[in-house]
Amino acid sequence: MTEKERLQTKVNEMITYFPWYKDYLSSMKPDSLLKLPLITREILEKHYYHQDFNPAWKIYHTSGTSSKKRKKIAYSREDDQDYLDKKVQIYTRFLQDKSIRTAISDMGTGHAANTAMEVFKSIGLICEDIPYHLPVQDHVKLLKQFRPDCLYTMPSILESILSATDHPEQFGIQKVILVGEVASAEWQKKVASRLCIDQKDIMDTVGSIEIGTIAYYSHEHGCYLFVDDLVPEGIKAEEVGLDADLLREDERILVLTSFSRKTFPAVRFVTYDVVRGFKPIHIADKTVLSFQSLVKRVGTEWKHGEKISFYDIEEAAFRHLDKATIWIQVDRNKLLVWIDSPFITDCIRKQIQLDIQDQIPEIGIMIRNGILDEIQVKVVTDPEQFQTHQVKKKVIHHKQWGRH
């Protein structure tokens, strides 16, 4: 099948699953992927996230939208199997250089957490799952008892576990697989040191609830490689209506087309994830696209155990305030909410903080149990610190100091 025929087949599939896509295409001719329209957040909110899905499909809920409803994302049985197969292939290759027999999943909630046990059992490992609602001290206790060869977790959860024990090397962990959040190379180096393992025994993976697994870090090639059946693009911020100065010169917003995902409109899907060093490399006489690091997410949401959006935060704040200006900052994987309002008191500030954390119930539970850092609400004393041409847009701002 030629590339043009493959693309036409994918477009036809999209129209079958999502009849609205035919009108969205309008008069465009799909003779080139780049001639197809982008699937942006606005398009998904209008046509996908709140539709009635086939009752046979699995439905996952994530962050809120401008409609005040949480997103719904569907996986058919075929999608789930493809998701599992990709993970089994990647993880098996990563684990094969050591005698790995046991694994623990400490993943909070969501699609990755729900499927983790099945993935590791398919690899042939004895595996356990740590429930997200347990206090962090119980996570430490279970890791010491089970002593897993492999730990599957998110950076923020691992950070909390390491902070809760003086001797994490007692866990006996030989391999770590990360997913879900930004994990800088420097941070991974420190984690490896504390666990007394080599940094190459930590594999960071990138994924999303919409697509599934997207990429994984290859220590052999020194970069992130995309999974099979994905066609990645890197676009500038202004191409999706965001400010150009949100990105550095060597940064791009990741756009993905999946030729295997069926029940999500994955044709030029804008992830809003920002990657640095997006470029082609040569592997075994083939040219493949890669990137050097995942640095942040732009737009209206961030991953904090579960995805939380600007709209989730805004809804919680305006339960208590009739007038306010809200800014959201990300400092590494920590969320800070700044509020400027003539009506805010310390009592209201504390209540807003509690309400934001419980806007996504799973996040509130993990925060109270010490698995995630608090989402801190702060009162703005000098509004000029936020006065840029971006401030009236509902976006998350990233601190310019420190590493992402």
Side-chain angles (χ1 to χ4, degrees):
M1 186 182 294
T2 66
E3 283 301 308
K4 185 176 178 179
E5 290 171 336
R6 189 184 187 208
L7 183 58
Q8 183 64 65
T9 299
K10 180 64 183 178
V11 168
N12 292 341
E13 176 189 276
M14 283 275 287
I15 293 170
T16 300
Y17 278 97
F18 313 109
W20 55 265
Y21 189 67
K22 184 175 182 179
D23 292 333
Y24 186 48
L25 283 178
S26 184
S27 60
M28 297 180 182
K29 295 181 179 180
D31 61 342
S32 165
L33 188 60
L34 296 180
K35 290 185 180 179
L36 292 174
L38 295 169
I39 300 290
T40 62
R41 177 182 62 248
E42 292 79 12
I43 293 298
L44 292 169
E45 286 194 25
K46 181 178 180 180
H47 295 291
Y48 180 83
Y49 287 138
H50 309 302
Q51 73 178 76
D52 293 324
F53 291 109
N54 186 324
W57 298 348
K58 288 183 182 177
I59 307 300
Y60 295 92
H61 292 81
T62 181
S63 56
T65 65
S66 58
S67 67
K68 310 301 180 186
K69 298 176 183 177
R70 292 184 74 179
K71 295 177 183 177
K72 293 190 299 183
I73 295 155
Y75 273 77
S76 65
R77 187 175 299 176
E78 184 181 4
D79 280 332
D80 254 340
Q81 190 58 55
D82 180 72
Y83 175 88
L84 292 171
D85 290 345
K86 283 184 169 67
K87 284 199 165 186
V88 168
Q89 181 184 25
I90 294 166
Y91 295 1
T92 299
R93 188 164 55 240
F94 172 62
L95 299 174
Q96 67 185 359
D97 65 327
K98 291 187 184 295
S99 179
I100 304 297
R101 296 175 298 169
T102 59
I104 266 188
S105 170
D106 197 349
M107 273 297 299
T109 65
H111 193 210
N114 290 356
T115 55
M117 296 284 281
E118 191 172 351
V119 170
F120 287 113
K121 285 179 181 177
S122 297
I123 295 173
L125 303 184
I126 300 167
C127 52
E128 295 288 340
D129 177 58
I130 300 181
Y132 74 93
H133 53 76
L134 293 180
V136 67
Q137 293 82 3
D138 287 350
H139 290 243
V140 171
K141 182 180 178 181
L142 289 168
L143 284 166
K144 286 181 178 178
Q145 287 177 351
F146 192 66
R147 289 180 57 82
D149 297 323
C150 176
L151 172 63
Y152 179 51
T153 191
M154 293 190 300
S156 55
I157 292 178
L158 182 52
E159 185 74 44
S160 296
I161 290 169
L162 294 176
S163 297
T165 180
D166 292 328
H167 298 286
E169 74 280 0
Q170 293 177 356
F171 299 151
I173 294 167
Q174 298 183 57
K175 294 273 190 176
V176 176
I177 300 173
L178 299 170
V179 70
E181 297 162 332
V182 173
S184 71
E186 274 303 310
W187 180 83
Q188 290 184 50
K189 183 178 179 181
K190 291 176 182 177
V191 167
S193 176
R194 290 211 61 195
L195 293 173
C196 296
I197 61 177
D198 195 288
Q199 191 172 345
K200 69 178 178 60
D201 291 318
I202 297 177
M203 180 175 68
D204 187 31
T205 64
V206 177
S208 77
I209 184 64
E210 293 88 355
I211 294 292
T213 303
I214 294 171
Y216 61 95
Y217 189 80
S218 167
H219 289 278
E220 179 185 357
H221 300 98
C223 60
Y224 288 81
L225 301 178
F226 292 96
V227 300
D228 294 338
D229 290 332
L230 273 188
V231 178
E233 303 170 55
I235 65 172
K236 296 181 178 180
E238 54 266 39
E239 294 181 63
V240 282
L242 297 173
D243 291 291
D245 57 3
L246 283 174
L247 306 186
R248 295 188 348 181
E249 184 61 34
D250 60 344
E251 294 176 349
R252 292 292 184 269
I253 296 171
L254 192 59
V255 171
L256 298 171
T257 296
S258 171
F259 283 93
S260 56
R261 184 79 160 95
K262 307 293 184 186
T263 56
F264 179 80
V267 173
R268 304 201 76 203
F269 161 60
V270 182
T271 67
Y272 297 94
D273 287 324
V274 175
V275 296
R276 191 174 293 164
F278 183 78
K279 66 178 183 180
I281 63 170
H282 297 285
I283 298 177
D285 297 326
K286 287 179 62 179
T287 300
V288 299
L289 286 163
S290 70
F291 61 93
Q292 197 58 45
S293 58
L294 174 70
V295 291
K296 61 185 178 183
R297 172 178 281 264
V298 292
T300 60
E301 64 181 9
W302 186 255
K303 185 79 182 242
H304 193 74
E306 288 291 312
K307 279 184 180 177
I308 187 166
S309 70
F310 195 105
Y311 305 107
D312 297 317
I313 292 167
E314 192 175 60
E315 186 172 347
F318 283 111
R319 288 193 200 118
H320 305 277
L321 297 170
D322 292 328
K323 179 183 178 182
T325 304
I326 301 170
W327 294 273
I328 303 171
Q329 275 190 322
V330 172
D331 181 12
R332 300 177 176 88
N333 282 319
K334 297 179 181 179
L335 274 176
L336 297 91
V337 178
W338 294 86
I339 298 179
D340 182 22
S341 172
F343 306 113
I344 196 164
T345 64
D346 192 54
C347 182
I348 290 175
R349 180 194 65 79
K350 291 177 181 176
Q351 189 57 55
I352 290 173
Q353 181 165 310
L354 290 174
D355 284 6
I356 288 173
Q357 292 175 169
D358 284 324
Q359 191 71 17
I360 308 294
E362 299 90 340
I363 291 178
I365 291 170
M366 287 190 278
I367 288 173
R368 284 191 290 277
N369 286 321
I371 297 301
L372 296 176
D373 287 323
E374 286 189 334
I375 298 171
Q376 294 190 17
V377 174
K378 296 178 178 289
V379 177
V380 175
T381 56
D382 178 18
E384 289 189 4
Q385 75 184 95
F386 292 104
Q387 294 303 324
T388 72
H389 62 284
Q390 299 175 15
V391 298
K392 295 191 177 181
K393 297 183 179 179
K394 294 184 180 183
V395 298
I396 294 176
H397 304 274
H398 295 261
K399 280 195 172 184
Q400 297 303 310
W401 54 90
R403 283 183 170 271
H404 291 299

